[in-house]
Amino acid sequence: MAVAALRRDDPVRLGDYHLLGRLGEGGQGTVYLGRRGDAGEQAAVKLLGAEAAESETARMRFMREFEVAMQVDDFCTARVLDVGMQDGRPFIVSEYVPGPSLYRQVTEHGPLTGGELQRVAIGMATALVAIHQRGIVHRDLKPQNVLLGPSGARVIDFGIARALDVSTQTTRMIGTPLYMAPEQVRAESAAPPIDVFAWAATVVFTATGAPPFGADSLPAVINRILNDEPDLGDLTGRLREIAALCLAKDPKRRPDAAQVLLWLLGKDLTPPQPPAAAPPSAELQAIPREVLVEGRKLAELRQSDAATRSSGGTTTDPSDLSFGERGRTSPAGGRADWGGAPTPPPQMPRTPLPPHTPPPAGGYPMARRPPHGEATWPPPAPRARKGSGLRWVIAASVVALLLAGALALLLLLPRLLASDGNGGGYETHSPQPTHTVTSSPYGGQGDGYGTHY
């Protein structure tokens, strides 16, 4: 592992450890290579960043996480050696593992394959089993936190990431988004399944050189984690199947770290099943099946009858459903339900009358006539005019009289023209010439239409 020179603002000593150089730096703080005394062993000394150290909560959580990390076995992680405080900033001392991080190894030399890939996957899974057995969740497993030492892969910064990532922003996600589980992105859970998800994402990176959900913009990565399927790239064989199961969106469908380790060691690959329902009690198992079926029928019928009564419908007597096709008869001769009491007839719901409301002091308001042009519905019926029927009767009578008079005149006119002056009927002599006298406008002899001689 390359060691950089110290900067001018870096401390020279932390506690009993003399700092030799810088091993790395990030948002959490800075990791230095230190040595205890003049001839002591080398160690990795991580100093909490100045910004995070301003939070009392961050400092207290850092110390509490140190106590938890002391409980993890040493064979798969960097052993914790000491912890201290300098100038209000806590630091933690752990075993120095000579070797590059998994991230640097892949980015500088390419993806791992074959047995080398298998050894790294098994080493990380073994570390997770040891961590989870101690009741600790790493929360930030990623290629940068896996060291490839002489004795194999070592997982570092377990549990400490939670303290180092604390800030005054309460909505900040804890962890590295490229390797976060969906529930971790939503800040819903910090249970061991998030470490299993991160293990599979780190394995995909180790075998392909890219995270399974991309490494472009943060919103795009988070959207893929929540909604898209992972891109497993060139990962093949049994390891591909295991990684796919560990990258399930639902944490309940992911295997635990122990199951992953057994699969890697050759055990039959069986996907985890959702938790089964609890078995029935001994008392319930002793009841005959016919009774259970009948009880379920009665329960469903009573529920439907209750819904029918609330809607005003007709209900069914539940005692008509019993063993076979007959109901049970009560001592009184009627049907009885399973409680032994006769089933009362259904009662029709009675709707209470509304209370009497006295009229207002000023009386009820008059109906308002709509203004001109305002439409009303339904439209008013047409009003009949006064006397219109009588007028029609009089007009019809006058027309009838006129028609009768005209008819009579037509019948009597021939007789009037043919009769003489004595009124003795029709004459048979030859007709005489008729002379027409011009009428005088002043009366006299010419006072008529014509004179016969």
Side-chain angles (χ1 to χ4, degrees):
M1 179 179 296
V3 181
L6 296 175
R7 300 176 182 175
R8 285 187 294 179
D9 56 345
D10 287 334
V12 179
R13 192 177 187 88
L14 289 174
D16 297 335
Y17 293 87
H18 177 69
L19 303 184
L20 305 177
R22 298 168 64 99
L23 294 175
E25 182 181 9
Q28 303 173 355
T30 306
V31 181
Y32 301 96
L33 176 62
R35 184 189 301 274
R36 188 170 186 174
D38 296 335
E41 62 178 352
Q42 293 182 341
V45 183
K46 174 175 286 186
L47 178 64
L48 186 63
E51 182 180 354
E54 295 178 358
S55 172
E56 180 67 22
T57 303
R59 295 195 300 268
M60 294 178 59
R61 188 172 299 177
F62 187 92
M63 302 303 295
R64 184 170 63 250
E65 292 293 341
F66 162 75
E67 296 176 357
V68 175
M70 291 289 293
Q71 305 175 20
V72 179
D73 297 324
D74 299 336
F75 66 90
C76 57
T77 64
R79 184 175 73 257
V80 177
L81 304 176
D82 196 3
V83 67
M85 184 83 67
Q86 182 165 313
D87 298 332
R89 298 168 61 183
F91 63 90
I92 187 171
V93 182
S94 60
E95 175 188 3
Y96 172 63
V97 179
S101 67
L102 180 60
Y103 177 81
R104 177 172 294 182
Q105 179 68 26
V106 173
T107 54
E108 294 181 358
H109 304 284
L112 304 184
T113 59
E116 191 176 11
L117 173 63
Q118 190 78 6
R119 284 192 297 271
V120 171
I122 293 176
M124 291 190 299
T126 304
L128 286 184
V129 172
I131 294 171
H132 292 170
Q133 285 183 348
R134 297 295 185 179
I136 302 172
V137 180
H138 192 287
R139 303 186 65 168
D140 197 22
L141 181 63
K142 57 185 178 181
Q144 291 87 338
N145 287 340
V146 178
L147 298 180
L148 302 179
S151 59
R154 302 284 194 95
V155 175
I156 62 173
D157 286 351
F158 54 90
I160 301 175
R162 180 177 182 180
L164 295 179
D165 282 345
V166 172
S167 69
T168 56
Q169 299 177 354
T170 57
T171 58
R172 181 179 178 182
M173 293 182 297
I174 299 177
T176 303
L178 300 183
Y179 305 92
M180 279 186 177
E183 66 272 20
Q184 192 176 8
V185 170
R186 295 188 293 261
E188 294 177 350
S189 173
I194 68 174
D195 286 346
V196 174
F197 189 96
W199 171 88
T202 303
V203 168
V204 174
F205 172 83
T206 305
T208 65
F213 298 99
D216 47 350
S217 65
L218 180 60
V221 172
I222 291 178
N223 178 69
R224 296 189 197 105
I225 291 175
L226 296 176
N227 303 303
D228 295 350
E229 294 299 321
D231 182 7
L232 303 183
D234 297 333
L235 186 62
T236 59
R238 186 182 184 89
L239 194 55
R240 182 186 181 95
E241 298 178 14
I242 299 174
L245 292 174
C246 295
L247 291 173
K249 306 294 184 185
D250 185 359
K252 296 180 181 179
R253 295 189 174 276
R254 299 176 204 147
D256 57 20
Q259 185 66 54
V260 171
L261 181 58
L262 292 177
W263 287 346
L264 292 173
L265 296 178
K267 186 179 179 181
D268 293 340
L269 189 63
T270 304
Q273 300 296 330
S281 60
E283 294 80 1
L284 190 61
Q285 293 179 355
I287 300 177
R289 182 177 181 275
E290 294 81 2
V291 176
L292 296 177
V293 173
E294 191 64 26
R296 182 175 57 189
K297 290 181 179 179
L298 289 176
E300 295 175 353
L301 181 60
R302 289 173 180 173
Q303 291 178 357
S304 62
D305 283 351
T308 306
R309 289 193 185 98
S310 62
S311 60
T314 304
T315 60
T316 305
D317 185 359
S319 63
D320 288 338
L321 291 178
S322 61
F323 297 109
E325 297 295 335
R326 297 183 179 182
R328 189 172 61 179
T329 304
S330 65
R335 298 289 186 182
D337 61 5
W338 290 105
T343 303
Q347 300 293 333
M348 296 299 293
R350 299 181 62 183
T351 305
L353 295 176
H356 173 69
T357 304
Y364 293 102
M366 298 294 292
R368 183 182 65 87
R369 182 176 182 179
H372 178 70
E374 181 178 347
T376 59
W377 188 262
R383 296 183 301 173
R385 297 182 179 179
K386 295 183 179 180
S388 59
L390 180 60
R391 292 172 184 172
W392 280 103
V393 173
I394 294 175
S397 301
V398 171
V399 173
L401 291 176
L402 291 176
L403 291 176
L407 182 60
L409 180 62
L410 292 175
L411 294 175
L412 295 177
L413 183 60
R415 293 185 179 184
L416 293 176
L417 295 177
S419 63
D420 54 8
N422 296 326
Y426 295 103
E427 295 183 346
T428 58
H429 59 82
S430 59
Q432 298 293 327
T434 301
H435 300 278
T436 303
V437 181
T438 304
S439 61
S440 170
Y442 301 102
Q445 186 179 359
D447 191 16
Y449 293 106
T451 303
H452 296 279
Y453 295 95

